[in-house]
Amino acid sequence: MTTEAPSAALVSVQGVNKHFGQLHVLRDIDLDVRRGEVVVVIGPSGSGKSTLCRAINRLETIESGEISIDGKKLPEEGRELARLRADVGMVFQSFNLFAHKTILENVTLGPIKVKGVDKATAEKEAMALLERVGVGHQAPKLPAQLSGGQQQRVAIARALAMKPKVMLFDEPTSALDPEMINEVLDVMVELAREGMTMIVVTHEMGFARKAADRVVFMADGQIVEQAPPEQFFTNPHSERAKDFLSKILTH
Amino acid sequence: MNTLFNNLDVFTTGFRTTIILFLVSGFFALLLGTVIGAMRVSPVPALRAFGTLYVNVVRNTPLTLVLFFFAFGYPKLGLPEIDFTASAIVGLSLYTASYVAEVLRSGVNTVPVGQAEAARAIGLRFIQTLTVVVLPQAFRSVLPPLFSVLIALLKNTTVAAGFSVYEAGAIRAYLAERGEPAIVVLLWVAFFFVVLVLILAQLQRYFEKKWKVAR
Ligand SMILES: Nc1ncnc2c1ncn2[C@@H]1O[C@H](COP(=O)(O)OP(=O)(O)OP(=O)(O)O)[C@@H](O)[C@H]1O
Ligand SMILES: [Mg+2]
């Protein structure tokens, strides 16, 4: 690990397979994400995008292949896994803020319980993060009192509070009303500019064009095509991608 | 009224024992029930199997048999001796714990899975996920069934009367010897049980207000 070149993959997915019963959801997936790289994953519903994301922080187990974060293989279970998970921030489609905790507590919980940060420091850092995503004044409220866009920005702050090496986003804006999508995307674009390594499942092409280094197109559990965003959207190679793009572009 | 006031000593001693049985068994049942309930939702198959076995065996055994075992079987095992009250407490706790475990497990299932996933994603371990994120939210929805279990426990304490524990269920037999009319005594005993249950109901209302979760 000490000899690791700076350009080595931060997230490395090698030959990963996964079934749900008969359904082969991930087929020999290989994906390397460099430090600071922003990868957008798109593809039709059911193609395995969420499963891939969830496998990367082991919310989902895999049957074969190997996933490592910053050179460290994902451990099986227990304390080690919990520690490694803290290096991987995750933002869900449905926000999943802890419903019984205030906004501030949502953000401080991880640092206090997992990293042993003292409460005062954790709160100070949490407030800074909440300010950064533009919801500082909501700190004492409960999640249900916030709009969807605000909740998702809090969820981003909660993930950032763990100082992760990589952030995973699984359709972070698809549960939002249209007028709230941009406030969340803006935060994500900003994060990308600051050099965060990101894997983002999204169909927001504006975001992909603005922030992504690479678009990965998945279909039927396979990575069918990958290219820089401009090239992918204007000149896709595979039939599957052409077909898919023609469908989402007509909307 | 005379039946009550002439025998106040019998009523107070009886109900004092009932309340002690209830509080102590209730405490241990909640504690043990939470542990067993946690086992039933744990990711470790062996723990899950043990939790399931416990619930299935204990919950399907009549309380009388459980108490019978601790009153008469247990002393033969050569373990440290315990008196009838203590063995009643052990029996009631173990028995009620199986119900508490089931109530908690169903409560855990009412909390959206996303809550536990978010907790795991920030690096919380299983026990932390359960105690910090899931159970506090589950408690709200389990309060009504949990209090039903506690009320059942309160009434189940009277079964201990059959095992030489002098609690409220034994008052009638005791006062029969003093020549008091059984029906009047029983009505008074029932009355005090209703009072105790009402106190529990009040407590339930208090906690429901306190643990309201907004969604
Ligand atoms: N827990 C599960 N049990 C069984 N099947 C599952 C489970 N989770 C996902 N699947 C199935 O696996 C396939 C891939 O699911 P996945 O959620 O990864 O797709 P996706 O690309 O994220 O789709 P979407 O765009 O709809 O979110 C789907 O067919 C889905 O029905
Ligand atoms: Mg998905």
Side-chain angles (χ1 to χ4, degrees), chain B residues 14 16 32 38 50 53 55 102-103 142 149 154 177 192:
Chain B
R16 192 189 305 131
L32 181 63
F50 177 82
L53 183 74
V55 169
E102 278 307 271
V103 165
V142 304
V149 168
L154 178 63
E177 283 167 27
F192 285 117

Side-chain angles (χ1 to χ4, degrees), chain A residues 4 13 44 74 77 101-102 106 148 171 175 189-190 196 209 216 218 223:
Chain A
E4 196 180 65
V13 177
L74 275 186
E77 256 313 326
K101 301 256 178 215
T102 66
N106 261 276
E171 305 207 27
V189 169
E190 190 55 35
M196 176 59 79
R209 285 203 151 100
V216 168
M218 281 183 79
I223 293 180

Side-chain angles (χ1 to χ4, degrees), chain A residues 108-130:
Chain A
T108 58
L109 186 70
I112 292 173
K113 296 278 174 189
V114 178
K115 298 208 154 166
V117 177
D118 67 90
K119 193 164 174 243
T121 312
E123 286 185 349
K124 212 175 100 217
E125 290 179 359
M127 278 314 297
L129 281 169
L130 288 172

Side-chain angles (χ1 to χ4, degrees), chain A residues 54 57-59 79 82 85-86 88 90 92 96-101 109-110 113-114 144 158 162, chain B residues 43 113-125 128 132-134 136-137 212-215:
Chain A
R54 294 162 56 81
N57 68 351
R58 215 173 176 291
L59 285 176
R79 201 175 289 262
R85 272 205 189 114
V88 183
M90 176 129 189
F92 302 86
N96 295 349
L97 292 182
F98 305 131
H100 63 309
K101 301 256 178 215
L109 186 70
K113 296 278 174 189
V114 178
R158 174 175 69 180
M162 297 306 289
Chain B
V113 282
Q115 294 287 309
E117 290 194 335
R120 287 159 69 206
I122 58 170
L124 295 185
R125 281 173 288 121
Q128 292 175 316
V132 182
V133 174
V134 178
Q137 296 186 59
K212 197 175 264 162
V213 179
R215 282 207 188 280

Side-chain angles (χ1 to χ4, degrees), chain A residues 143-156:
Chain A
Q145 295 171 280
L146 271 59
S147 73
Q150 291 171 327
Q151 288 192 50
Q152 194 59 302
R153 285 182 282 151
V154 174
I156 294 173

Side-chain angles (χ1 to χ4, degrees), chain A residues 20 23 25 43-52 60 93 170-171 203:
Chain A
F20 280 121
L23 193 67
V25 269
S45 179
S47 54
K49 307 178 298 289
S50 297
T51 309
L52 176 62
E60 216 65 82
Q93 178 175 353
D170 188 2
E171 305 207 27
H203 291 160

